[in-house]
Amino acid sequence: MTETFETLSTAALLGTARSAPATSTLHTADAATALTGDPASRLLAAAALESAFLTAATLPTVRTLPSPAPDDDRLTLPPAAAERLRGLLVVRSPLLPEWFALAERFRAPHEIVVDLLWFAAPDTPHREHLLRLAGARGQWVAALNPEWSHLVAPDPADERLWLHGSPAQRRRWFAVARAADPHAAAARLTASWSSETAAQRAALLELLTNGLGEHDEALLEHALDDRSRKVRATALGLLRRLPDSDFAERMSRRVREWTRVDDGDLVVEVPDRLDAEALRDGVDEGASRPGGVAMRRLTTVVSSAPPSAWQHIAPTARQVLGYRVGEPAREALDAGWAAATALHRNGEWAAALLRRDGTVGADVAQALPRPVLVAHLHDSAGRALLDPDLLGALPAPWPRDLAEKVLIALYGDEGTGVRSFRTILALIAHRAPFELTELLADAANRTDHLDRLNLFATAADTLTLRKTLHEELS
């Protein structure tokens, strides 16, 4: 840089009247020679050209073109649907999950792939959907941009990231490997278990949720002896999901030992002291929950045992629930039964709890068979019909007559709180059949309550938009 500016500096010091600047040695000689004006102006302009080149310019280099992107044989997203997606992403629409479900068989047109990667680059809840839509070309583009390297799915056959990557990179590799081959991934984690930090053991163990099965049982049993409380708690949470495991059998045995029927009463006898095996299985892990020690232990065991553990009492869930139970055991059992029913998605137990109580919590409601839930709602009225937990468990599309019944009940119930009203109306807008649009709009026109008018009108607009989404992706 000193040599290229030497002739300009000399001319500036001596004055342009005594020394004309020689520009032939500059990198920008061609442009500097073409400058016009008085000598002083040409000197300053030549210095500016050379300085700009040295600061920002590069010499031409030859670069090898990348290999073409792989083909993607999926159907191309229709233009109207692609434009619709842009709008939904910008406003973070609650309709995005439904849109992605409808677009499962499509790929993005090439012209919006980069836009999808921009939306996917932050850690958004829709990242995986966006990357799947972008497909092979999206992965090809992301690999060319260092800022998008985290969007490129690692190759599970290449273990370099697993062996030498950062904790985040190793977790991402393991998640992809787990999706590709759950059994092999469990074996890989087992092999490296002793070399992992406690935080990594817990984080990697959580990834076993995807593809959880009997091939994970040995590792999870080993994790019950881990020094880290978080690792043990994670292992317990996963073992509870395996109804045919040794852990499930141990919990079922405790149910059989602690409960019996005596003259129509369900009698519970919780031991005062736990053996080492029970402590290892986390029976005392609920010590922070309210209630007596014995009832906390009872809830933990009942929630950890599969529903089949109660067949020593009666062959069906309805019969088990029909026995008399005194307090405080009734409350502890109910909490445990609800947790186990939700965890194992047991439709029989969910239906029995619904018939006994007339309602169930949101988690248990998700386990209800659709025919049972629809029949129960059909037979309900008033506040019993307007149950957000039960309505929230009924996926779209709702039967038209049931949707109309819910809407009419909601319209006529002035006692519904604002939050519940808004929740139920949002469910109608997102799950009712499209034919209900006119009825929603009519409800908006007939109410004198300004807030409800706006909510009904918004729901009608949402239902109309959903219809449009389905038409664009049909």
Side-chain angles (χ1 to χ4, degrees):
M1 181 173 177
T2 303
E3 294 179 359
T4 60
F5 271 104
E6 183 177 353
T7 181
L8 300 181
S9 301
T10 301
L13 291 171
L14 296 177
T16 54
R18 299 178 56 189
S19 175
T23 58
S24 58
T25 60
L26 302 178
H27 294 97
T28 54
D30 292 342
T33 303
L35 293 170
T36 59
D38 62 79
S41 298
R42 293 199 306 273
L43 172 64
L44 293 175
L49 282 170
E50 187 71 4
S51 177
F53 175 85
L54 294 173
T55 301
T58 60
L59 295 174
T61 57
V62 176
R63 294 186 180 273
T64 304
L65 289 175
S67 301
D71 292 331
D72 192 333
D73 296 331
R74 293 178 296 169
L75 294 173
T76 304
L77 199 64
E83 192 59 33
R84 180 76 59 190
L85 175 60
R86 291 177 191 265
L88 295 176
L89 287 169
V90 168
V91 300
R92 299 178 182 179
S93 171
L95 292 177
L96 278 167
E98 183 174 5
W99 188 97
F100 283 120
L102 292 170
E104 191 72 20
R105 68 186 190 279
F106 293 103
R107 68 165 176 83
H110 300 323
E111 58 269 19
I112 72 166
V113 165
V114 170
D115 291 341
L116 297 184
L117 294 177
W118 278 115
F119 281 111
D123 191 11
T124 66
H126 304 298
R127 174 187 283 180
E128 295 305 319
H129 292 293
L130 291 167
L131 293 178
R132 187 185 183 286
L133 193 63
R137 176 146 301 196
Q139 291 290 295
W140 181 84
V141 173
L144 298 175
N145 184 349
E147 293 184 7
W148 290 341
S149 60
H150 62 289
L151 299 180
V152 180
D155 180 2
D158 184 351
E159 294 192 351
R160 284 177 296 180
L161 279 181
W162 172 252
L163 296 173
H164 308 297
S166 66
Q169 289 173 326
R170 295 182 73 240
R171 288 193 298 271
R172 179 159 170 73
W173 181 92
F174 186 79
V176 173
R178 178 70 175 179
D181 188 341
H183 188 280
R188 195 70 190 83
L189 180 56
T190 300
S192 67
W193 185 259
S194 61
S195 63
E196 305 288 349
T197 65
Q200 275 292 85
R201 290 197 300 275
L204 291 168
L205 212 58
E206 288 177 355
L207 296 176
L208 297 186
T209 301
N210 180 21
L212 183 66
E214 61 180 12
H215 45 265
D216 301 311
E217 185 177 354
L219 175 58
L220 295 174
E221 284 284 351
H222 179 66
L224 289 184
D225 298 315
D226 199 90
R227 295 187 303 274
S228 167
R229 182 177 180 179
K230 185 175 182 179
V231 172
R232 296 196 303 272
T234 303
L236 284 170
L238 293 172
L239 281 169
R240 290 190 180 105
R241 298 174 179 269
L242 297 176
D244 299 320
S245 64
D246 289 344
F247 174 85
E249 174 52 34
R250 295 196 296 272
M251 288 297 183
S252 296
R253 187 191 71 233
R254 293 180 184 111
V255 168
R256 294 191 296 269
E257 293 173 349
W258 295 7
T259 61
R260 59 185 172 84
V261 174
D262 184 8
D263 194 23
D265 292 331
L266 181 55
V267 180
V268 176
E269 297 175 345
V270 180
D272 294 330
R273 298 184 63 180
L274 299 177
D275 57 26
E277 184 183 60
L279 294 173
R280 177 178 181 270
D281 285 342
V283 175
D284 255 357
E285 70 167 2
S288 61
R289 291 197 296 261
V293 172
M295 293 304 100
R296 292 197 300 267
R297 291 173 176 174
L298 178 61
T299 298
T300 299
V301 167
V302 174
S303 64
S304 300
S308 59
W310 294 91
Q311 290 182 354
H312 74 292
I313 297 293
T316 68
R318 192 169 186 176
Q319 289 173 305
V320 174
L321 295 176
Y323 288 110
R324 296 186 300 269
V325 185
E327 294 294 354
R330 168 65 181 264
E331 182 179 356
L333 285 171
D334 282 350
W337 282 330
T341 298
L343 186 65
H344 295 284
R345 293 292 181 121
N346 190 290
E348 180 198 353
W349 272 83
L353 289 167
L354 179 63
R355 292 189 186 101
R356 187 193 70 173
D357 300 334
T359 186
V360 291
D363 291 341
V364 175
Q366 295 293 330
L368 286 166
R370 182 182 177 93
V372 172
L373 181 54
V374 170
H376 177 84
L377 291 171
H378 269 305
D379 294 339
S380 302
R383 294 293 176 83
L385 175 63
L386 301 179
D387 186 327
D389 290 338
L390 293 180
L391 292 173
L394 184 60
W398 286 2
R400 177 170 178 170
D401 57 343
L402 178 58
E404 290 180 352
K405 183 179 180 179
V406 172
L407 178 57
I408 292 170
L410 188 65
Y411 179 84
D413 188 358
E414 294 294 334
T416 304
V418 175
R419 179 175 296 180
S420 294
F421 185 92
R422 190 186 301 271
T423 298
I424 295 171
L425 194 54
L427 288 171
I428 294 173
H430 286 82
R431 301 185 185 182
F434 305 136
E435 296 81 6
L436 213 67
T437 304
E438 292 185 6
L439 193 58
L440 275 169
D442 186 59
N445 293 330
R446 289 177 180 273
T447 183
D448 295 327
H449 195 296
L450 184 59
D451 289 339
R452 290 194 170 197
L453 183 154
N454 290 331
L455 290 173
F456 277 126
T458 300
D461 290 342
T462 299
L463 201 55
T464 301
L465 178 56
R466 287 184 56 233
K467 181 181 179 182
T468 302
L469 299 185
H470 281 251
E471 291 172 346
E472 291 172 346
L473 291 166
S474 61

